[in-house]
Amino acid sequence: MSNILHVGLNCIEPILDMPTNRSIPNKRWHLAFTAIYSSRALYSLLNQKKKKSRKLPVPSNPSFVVLNVKPEAFSSIDHTTLTAIVNEKSFNKLLEFGGIEGVADALGTGIKNGIDGSVNDVALRREAFGSNTYQRPPAKRLFHFVVEAFKDLTILILLFCAALSLGFGIKENGAKEGWYDGGSIFGAVFLVISVSAVSNFRQNRQFEKLSKVGNNIKVDVVRNGRRQQISIFEVVVGDVVCLKIGDQVPADGLFLDGHSLQVDESSMTGESDHVEINSHHNPFLFSGTKVADGYAQMLVTSVGMNTTWGETMSTISRDTNEQTPLQARLNKLTSSIGKAGLAVAFLVLVVLLVRYFTGNTEDENGNQEFNGSNTKADDIVNSVVRIIAAAVTIVVVAIPEGLPLAVTLTLAYSMKRMMADQAMVRKLSACETMGSATTICTDKTGTLTLNQMKVTKFWLGQDPIEDSSLISTDLLNLIQQGVALNTTGSVYRATSGSNYEFSGSPTEKAILSWAVLELDMEMEILIKDFTILHVEAFNSEKKRSGVSIRSEADHNTVHVHWKGAAEMILAMCSSYYDASGRMKDIDDGERMTFEQIIQGMAASSLRCIAFAHKQIPEEEHEIRETSQKLEEDSLTLIGLVGIKDPCRSGVRRAVEDCQYAGVNVKMITGDNVFTARAIATECGILRPHQDINNEAVVEGEVFRNYTPEERMEKVDKIRVMARSSPFDKLLMVQCLKQKGHVVAVTGDGTNDAPALKEADIGLSMGIQGTEVAKECSDIIILDDNFASIATVLKWGRCVYNNIQKFIQFQLTVNVAALVINFVAAISAGEVPLTAVQLLWVNLIMDTLGALALATEQPTKELMERPPVGRTEPLITNIMWRNLLVQALYQIVVLLTLQFKGESIFGVNEKVKDTLIFNTFVLCQVFNEFNARKLEKKNVFKGIHKNKLFLGIIGITIILQVAMVEFLKKFADTERLNWGQWGSCLGIAAISWPLGWVVKCISVSKKPFLSYLRWQEHHFLLYVCTKF
């Protein structure tokens, strides 16, 4: 009995936990309910009835359900029913709950004020209906990337060589010492696999983190009467969400209020046509869809895994195995070098076998190795095994398996650093392509400017107004109506003494704050006094918005208010109000005066917004209502406002940096031509005396109406495009690409999506950018700052430059090692560098060298050279010059040591081979410094800043000393004395002055390999003419 009583009391405890903010009538309801429940529970205990068969009674009074935010408050509706209402678009089920208002009541949501929004309220809603997150597919484990690495053809060839070398080594030298070569190849392969797998694994994890950042969309919600921004993951069932053009619908829900709402449901249905959403015919909104037009408020009914979008996204994992163009080119290069190595190895194999079987080789005692039938079979097998091992060694040294690894390391490192510099990479290829950008087409607002707008000028009629008390009452009322009712923004004030909070776009916030603080506008009163009949929402093509309203006091008259770009609104007006409120006609002279006022404000870098009004009878409005169009003719101009948006402090320097780097910066804006020119001049895009006459400034409509030939001729000259539409931006991108430019484009609106997709690099804005724009972009600029775009350009060039440095460094090693072993094998029948030694060199170069050169940071020098062209070869003439001279020097020195080393140093063959190995490695260490600068002579500039590079050089030298002095048996080396170490260092150090001298030699800009193609072409022509 006591146990049952204890359970009963536990069930009562949550009910007794009454919120302190509950009203007195509701407290009484609560106490009454508690008393009824307690008496029933005691009655059941006395009659020994089972507690489990009883259900908690819910009072029928809806006020209790609305105000009680405990889980029991949602017992009248569950997430399954809510999900079914929207998924099935079921009006019948919706009506069963009393329509949208009934669902809102059941969820404890106020239509106007939203949910309570307290911590407990949100937590209980999450508990009852789930959170707005979805289960992601499990992340790929490290083992997956290990398996992927094993599939690489280069790795497979090396594993085959390792198996051959291991078998032949054990056959020739026994298991105790014969495993060294083969085992070291296996070790090297597994090390490369490990580094590659770990690098790819970490890159995958980095993509996951970036994906979380990218998916963390900010959403406008109304909680406790206050409009605020929260993360999409914090949205709960019952929230009232505010939607505008370009927004992603954050959850499933129902349309509450709004105008002209059209939604793109192609992500759900595949249909490209926009779907109209309203409260009468189709109030159902789906998570993941995009707002194409209009604005609205929605009631969230399902979140996370209870939405179709959540179920879909939980099955999709982001593919991070994207191969960039540069990676593809390097894989092709690696494959080509590998094939060349195989060909050389096969040639060496054939030559050595021929030499052996023709009796041209001698053993250690000077005797002929092959004497026909007199030679034992076992000796023949051992000799052939040794020859095959030499060929395998050449294959091993020829394959530059570190090239793809260098790209992976460089991209992973640059992505991480770019994130710290306010640029989030969505597509890896953009890192490389940005380095080749020749033109940047940028927006003005928020990118070149701060996006912190403020009304600084106000004109009524043809007079500037400084004091709002001078405005007539009727005219002031019209201005307040036009601001308060023709807006997507809102005003919130917690108490009468607290500060106002303004929400909406920067332009809307600037106008609202001006009207509230300067004109004493009471937005809430105006909203109550008028009914909104129809809305035409603002978009970047129309550049205006309109609304028709009816006063609650006068049902016979409809007021139409327009707001938008000043010259466009002026063109719709036939009259204007002066400061005293009198209406006057606009003749040609008056119109010219207004145009001069607008141009004057624009020349001061002000954005000009005009307000216009028309009063029409109810009967005329009913006739026009069928066409769903607002009155656009014969309007009366109310006034003009000038909005200041200051330029960002570092933007002029960033623009100059881009121009100095050979990158053209073009500004594409919706503002009028005078504002655009003023801002462009202030930012350094236009020179002070460049004007519309020399075609540097053009309007979007003019550019659009050019013939294709005229556009192609003039597009390079254009610096500013004003009054442009998204189509004009797309048209410019297409023209620039046709002329061979690599184009980067910024965009923040939904309509910018085509241009972002068309561009070589799409740059969306992280703060003002819509979700549609972000999804179409390659890189998201998190702080909306043009200076960050300049930083991305610098990083793009750095990625390309770092990879070129490593290619030059790696190929120097491969060319030198390949030629030395080939010449020695052909002439002497043996290779001076063993497989273990060559693999050690390759490991130093591939892993440590890649890490050292891939992590070089951007320098000012990168912005002093022109952009890399689309078709420019990966290995430039400068690189060919550097690597061939260094490789030639190493070949000459090492072959001299190979054939004359014993007599020069007075040492035996074993020490001579060690000297060759040690000198070769130290040459690479010194050449690593040369590789830091492809063109500059001072290779030590800024080296103190790269601690990782210096650390890797130190580790390399320490490991080399260990290989020579302590791992003699494994590395097949002999200890060297101080003099011999000094000689090796001296020979290797000559790489520095040699590198300095080589950079004094100028090279042709024509690609080196094109000469070979030219010779081949002329040879074929000669053959054709002869035969």
Side-chain angles (χ1 to χ4, degrees):
M1 174 74 78
S2 63
N3 289 337
I4 298 171
L5 181 62
H6 181 69
V7 171
L9 290 173
N10 281 342
C11 294
I12 296 170
E13 278 177 6
I15 303 166
L16 294 172
D17 182 19
M18 185 165 57
T20 55
N21 61 351
R22 194 183 299 282
S23 62
I24 292 173
N26 283 295
K27 285 182 181 178
R28 289 172 182 166
W29 270 109
H30 193 84
L31 292 170
F33 173 73
T34 306
I36 293 167
Y37 181 84
S38 301
S39 61
R40 287 190 176 183
L42 289 170
Y43 179 79
S44 65
L45 289 171
L46 291 169
N47 287 280
Q48 297 293 310
K49 290 184 178 179
K50 292 182 180 179
K51 175 67 179 168
K52 290 180 183 178
S53 65
R54 295 285 182 187
K55 289 186 178 180
L56 185 73
V58 179
S60 58
N61 191 317
S63 64
F64 175 80
V65 178
V66 171
L67 293 173
N68 186 0
V69 293
K70 297 291 185 181
E72 289 84 355
F74 307 122
S75 58
S76 61
I77 195 165
D78 57 68
H79 69 80
T80 307
T81 308
L82 286 169
T83 303
I85 289 173
V86 177
N87 280 354
E88 298 170 13
K89 294 190 175 182
S90 175
F91 267 103
N92 293 332
K93 288 183 180 178
L94 185 60
L95 292 173
E96 286 177 13
F97 285 93
I100 297 169
E101 291 79 6
V103 173
D105 285 344
L107 293 174
T109 301
I111 298 292
K112 297 294 182 186
N113 293 335
I115 64 173
D116 174 65
S118 65
V119 176
N120 289 337
D121 180 25
V122 172
L124 288 166
R125 289 175 186 276
R126 278 207 190 98
E127 185 183 343
F129 301 106
S131 62
N132 199 27
T133 55
Y134 50 84
Q135 297 169 358
R136 293 178 175 274
K140 293 174 181 175
R141 298 183 180 278
L142 181 61
F143 180 72
H144 168 83
F145 295 100
V146 172
V147 173
E148 287 296 313
F150 268 108
K151 294 178 182 177
D152 187 76
L153 180 63
T154 306
I155 296 296
L156 293 175
I157 293 171
L158 287 174
L159 286 172
F160 177 72
C161 292
L164 282 179
S165 183
L166 186 64
F168 294 152
I170 292 173
K171 169 74 177 64
E172 190 173 358
N173 302 314
K176 190 174 181 180
E177 296 182 3
W179 65 272
Y180 289 159
D181 282 5
S184 64
I185 298 174
F186 272 119
V189 169
F190 286 121
L191 183 58
V192 169
I193 286 171
S194 301
V195 173
S196 178
V198 169
S199 178
N200 288 329
F201 174 71
R202 291 187 64 184
Q203 186 176 309
N204 182 263
R205 285 286 183 269
Q206 195 171 339
F207 262 118
E208 292 291 331
K209 288 178 183 177
L210 292 177
S211 180
K212 286 178 183 176
V213 173
N215 292 335
N216 189 15
I217 301 164
K218 295 298 178 184
V219 179
D220 280 350
V221 298
V222 178
R223 288 184 176 179
N224 201 20
R226 178 188 174 196
R227 184 165 167 172
Q228 54 192 281
Q229 274 200 340
I230 62 170
S231 165
I232 190 172
F233 304 126
E234 294 173 8
V235 171
V236 293
V237 170
D239 259 324
V240 173
V241 176
C242 304
L243 300 172
K244 62 183 183 299
I245 294 177
D247 283 352
Q248 177 180 312
V249 179
D252 286 359
L254 299 168
F255 177 93
L256 283 177
D257 186 26
H259 297 280
S260 309
L261 186 67
Q262 291 194 335
V263 173
D264 177 6
E265 294 186 352
S266 58
S267 59
M268 303 293 294
T269 63
E271 298 292 333
S272 58
D273 292 337
H274 295 160
V275 178
E276 188 174 346
I277 306 294
N278 53 52
S279 55
H280 304 297
H281 306 294
N282 181 23
F284 307 105
L285 287 154
F286 294 96
S287 176
T289 56
K290 306 290 190 304
V291 178
D293 199 5
Y295 59 91
Q297 289 187 331
M298 67 171 279
L299 172 69
V300 175
T301 56
S302 299
V303 293
M305 292 300 293
N306 294 325
T307 67
T308 307
W309 180 255
E311 290 175 5
T312 305
M313 292 302 290
S314 67
T315 62
I316 298 172
S317 60
R318 183 171 180 180
D319 182 17
T320 57
N321 292 329
E322 170 198 359
Q323 192 177 63
T324 70
L326 192 55
Q327 282 177 319
R329 288 172 76 181
L330 280 179
N331 285 338
K332 190 176 179 181
L333 178 64
T334 304
S335 177
S336 300
I337 294 171
K339 288 173 184 175
L342 282 170
V344 172
F346 180 73
L347 181 62
V348 168
L349 180 65
V350 171
V351 170
L352 291 181
L353 286 174
V354 169
R355 279 177 51 119
Y356 174 75
F357 285 110
T358 55
N360 288 320
T361 57
E362 297 176 347
D363 60 19
E364 295 173 356
N365 301 318
N367 300 320
Q368 187 176 322
E369 284 190 299
F370 183 75
N371 271 326
S373 58
N374 296 327
T375 308
K376 295 179 182 178
D378 197 43
D379 292 338
I380 295 173
V381 170
N382 287 337
S383 297
V384 170
V385 164
R386 191 178 69 253
I387 290 168
I388 294 173
V392 167
T393 302
I394 289 173
V395 174
V396 169
V397 75
I399 298 175
E401 64 271 13
L403 284 179
L405 177 63
V407 183
T408 304
L409 288 172
T410 304
L411 290 174
Y413 176 75
S414 60
M415 274 181 61
K416 189 174 182 180
R417 294 307 300 265
M418 284 169 76
M419 189 70 178
D421 287 337
Q422 302 300 313
M424 189 181 85
V425 178
R426 294 186 73 251
K427 294 181 182 175
L428 271 177
S429 56
C431 290
E432 302 160 8
T433 314
M434 196 65 194
S436 304
T438 58
T439 304
I440 298 175
C441 298
T442 177
D443 290 331
K444 175 186 77 72
T445 305
T447 308
L448 298 172
T449 61
L450 287 168
N451 215 9
Q452 296 173 0
M453 299 190 184
K454 184 179 180 181
V455 174
T456 57
K457 294 281 184 183
F458 176 44
W459 290 71
L460 275 179
Q462 297 172 5
D463 302 314
I465 301 297
E466 300 293 337
D467 186 0
S468 61
S469 63
L470 301 176
I471 307 170
S472 69
T473 306
D474 290 342
L475 187 55
L476 186 63
N477 289 337
L478 276 180
I479 296 169
Q480 291 176 347
Q481 289 170 26
V483 173
L485 303 171
N486 186 13
T487 182
T488 55
S490 64
V491 180
Y492 174 77
R493 196 179 192 187
T495 59
S496 58
S498 60
N499 292 329
Y500 288 98
E501 292 181 19
F502 303 98
S503 59
S505 71
T507 306
E508 296 283 11
K509 287 194 286 187
I511 294 172
L512 285 172
S513 64
W514 165 73
V516 169
L517 301 176
E518 301 289 332
L519 307 182
D520 298 322
M521 181 183 78
E522 295 285 349
M523 191 163 177
E524 286 188 14
I525 295 173
L526 286 166
I527 290 171
K528 289 177 183 176
D529 289 347
F530 289 87
T531 302
I532 295 175
L533 303 175
H534 183 67
V535 170
E536 284 198 24
F538 177 90
N539 66 40
S540 54
E541 290 181 6
K542 295 183 293 186
K543 292 183 172 49
R544 63 181 186 267
S545 64
V547 62
S548 59
I549 57 174
R550 184 194 293 120
S551 171
E552 296 296 332
D554 180 9
H555 287 274
N556 296 321
T557 306
V558 172
H559 297 270
V560 175
H561 283 274
W562 282 97
K563 174 183 73 180
E567 67 270 28
M568 292 188 172
I569 297 295
L570 178 63
M572 297 159 64
C573 295
S574 59
S575 57
Y576 71 95
Y577 291 108
D578 63 13
S580 61
R582 288 176 297 180
M583 188 185 294
K584 296 182 178 180
D585 290 336
I586 299 179
D587 58 22
D588 291 342
E590 303 280 357
R591 193 173 296 278
M592 186 175 292
T593 304
F594 279 115
E595 287 173 353
Q596 288 172 351
I597 292 169
I598 293 168
Q599 289 174 17
M601 285 197 285
S604 302
S605 303
L606 299 182
R607 171 175 283 187
C608 307
I609 305 293
F611 295 90
H613 164 261
K614 186 173 185 178
Q615 188 172 302
I616 58 175
E618 174 67 26
E619 299 80 20
E620 187 180 334
H621 170 72
E622 287 176 357
I623 294 169
R624 291 189 64 87
E625 199 172 34
T626 56
S627 65
Q628 293 290 303
K629 280 283 187 181
L630 294 179
E631 186 77 38
E632 296 183 356
D633 303 319
S634 303
L635 305 180
T636 302
L637 183 68
I638 297 175
L640 302 166
V641 294
I643 301 175
K644 182 69 174 175
D645 185 13
C647 283
R648 291 181 181 271
S649 58
V651 74
R652 188 180 183 91
R653 177 67 184 273
V655 168
E656 288 172 353
D657 286 346
C658 290
Q659 291 171 339
Y660 186 66
V663 179
N664 294 318
V665 180
K666 301 179 187 295
M667 186 177 86
I668 303 176
T669 178
D671 282 340
N672 73 37
V673 69
F674 302 99
T675 306
R677 188 191 299 154
I679 293 288
T681 304
E682 193 176 341
C683 294
I685 294 172
L686 270 182
R687 290 188 293 276
H689 302 296
Q690 271 185 310
D691 57 24
I692 203 164
N693 296 326
N694 66 7
E695 301 174 336
V697 182
V698 68
E699 288 191 325
E701 186 179 0
V702 175
F703 182 75
R704 198 184 316 142
N705 293 330
Y706 284 150
T707 63
E709 293 77 18
E710 286 177 320
R711 275 199 293 269
M712 292 297 286
E713 180 190 344
K714 297 179 180 182
V715 70
D716 282 332
K717 301 174 187 175
I718 295 170
R719 291 288 174 270
V720 177
M721 188 192 287
R723 282 288 176 243
S724 65
S725 69
F727 176 74
D728 299 328
K729 184 185 280 190
L730 175 63
L731 205 56
M732 176 168 272
V733 172
Q734 289 171 339
C735 287
L736 288 167
K737 287 184 71 177
Q738 285 172 27
K739 293 205 77 172
H741 289 278
V742 178
V743 187
V745 169
T746 70
D748 53 12
T750 303
N751 293 330
D752 288 328
L756 289 169
K757 281 186 176 179
E758 180 71 22
D760 296 288
I761 312 105
L763 303 163
S764 64
M765 301 296 109
I767 299 171
Q768 287 299 315
T770 63
E771 294 313 310
V772 176
K774 290 176 186 176
E775 283 191 11
C776 294
S777 65
D778 304 305
I779 297 174
I780 299 174
I781 306 300
L782 298 175
D783 61 354
D784 290 16
N785 192 345
F786 186 85
S788 298
I789 298 173
T791 304
V792 170
L793 178 67
K794 197 182 292 184
W795 270 110
R797 292 190 174 190
C798 181
V799 167
Y800 198 87
N801 193 52
N802 284 352
I803 291 169
Q804 283 188 315
K805 290 175 188 176
F806 182 74
I807 290 171
Q808 176 187 298
F809 177 60
Q810 173 79 70
L811 292 186
T812 304
V813 179
N814 288 106
V815 170
L818 195 60
V819 172
I820 292 161
N821 271 14
F822 175 72
V823 172
I826 296 295
S827 58
E830 57 183 21
V831 289
L833 297 171
T834 66
V836 173
Q837 292 170 353
L838 285 171
L839 280 164
W840 167 239
V841 173
N842 258 19
L843 284 177
I844 291 174
M845 303 316 116
D846 292 347
T847 312
L848 298 178
L851 197 59
L853 294 171
T855 53
E856 287 277 347
Q857 295 195 25
T859 60
K860 290 182 180 178
E861 297 163 7
L862 292 172
M863 302 296 274
E864 294 173 0
R865 62 181 71 162
V868 179
R870 278 182 198 274
T871 56
E872 192 165 323
L874 191 58
I875 306 175
T876 63
N877 285 0
I878 290 168
M879 293 167 65
W880 279 118
R881 177 196 66 189
N882 296 342
L883 78 87
L884 288 176
V885 170
Q886 291 289 346
L888 185 63
Y889 168 70
Q890 292 177 20
I891 290 165
V892 170
V893 167
L894 296 177
L895 286 178
T896 302
L897 289 175
Q898 167 68 14
F899 297 110
K900 299 292 183 180
E902 291 180 37
S903 59
I904 291 172
F905 287 96
V907 293
N908 59 33
E909 187 179 1
K910 197 82 171 174
V911 175
K912 178 205 71 176
D913 288 343
T914 305
L915 283 170
I916 292 172
F917 169 58
N918 200 36
T919 303
F920 186 56
V921 170
L922 292 175
C923 277
Q924 312 321 318
V925 172
F926 280 85
N927 195 35
E928 203 161 348
F929 286 86
N930 289 329
R932 288 189 70 243
K933 307 288 182 184
L934 297 178
E935 297 180 63
K936 299 291 180 180
K937 295 173 185 175
N938 183 6
V939 296
F940 303 105
K941 187 178 179 181
I943 198 168
H944 61 283
K945 295 178 182 178
N946 195 340
K947 302 291 192 297
L948 183 61
F949 182 90
L950 294 173
I952 287 172
I953 293 294
I955 291 169
T956 303
I957 293 171
I958 291 168
L959 291 175
Q960 177 61 17
V961 171
M963 282 288 283
V964 172
E965 300 294 326
F966 305 108
L967 299 173
K968 298 189 297 177
K969 212 165 191 179
F970 176 74
D972 198 18
T973 57
E974 287 290 327
R975 282 193 167 187
L976 300 178
N977 58 39
W978 287 106
Q980 290 162 346
W981 269 101
S983 299
C984 294
L985 284 167
I987 293 168
I990 294 173
S991 297
W992 285 350
L994 183 65
W996 189 90
V997 171
V998 164
K999 287 172 185 175
C1000 295
I1001 304 170
S1002 60
V1003 292
S1004 169
K1005 290 186 178 180
K1006 188 177 181 181
F1008 173 72
L1009 293 178
S1010 66
Y1011 289 105
L1012 299 179
R1013 285 193 289 270
W1014 184 84
Q1015 293 288 351
E1016 181 185 355
H1017 174 70
H1018 280 264
F1019 174 74
L1020 290 172
L1021 282 176
Y1022 173 77
V1023 171
C1024 292
T1025 54
K1026 288 291 183 184
F1027 301 101

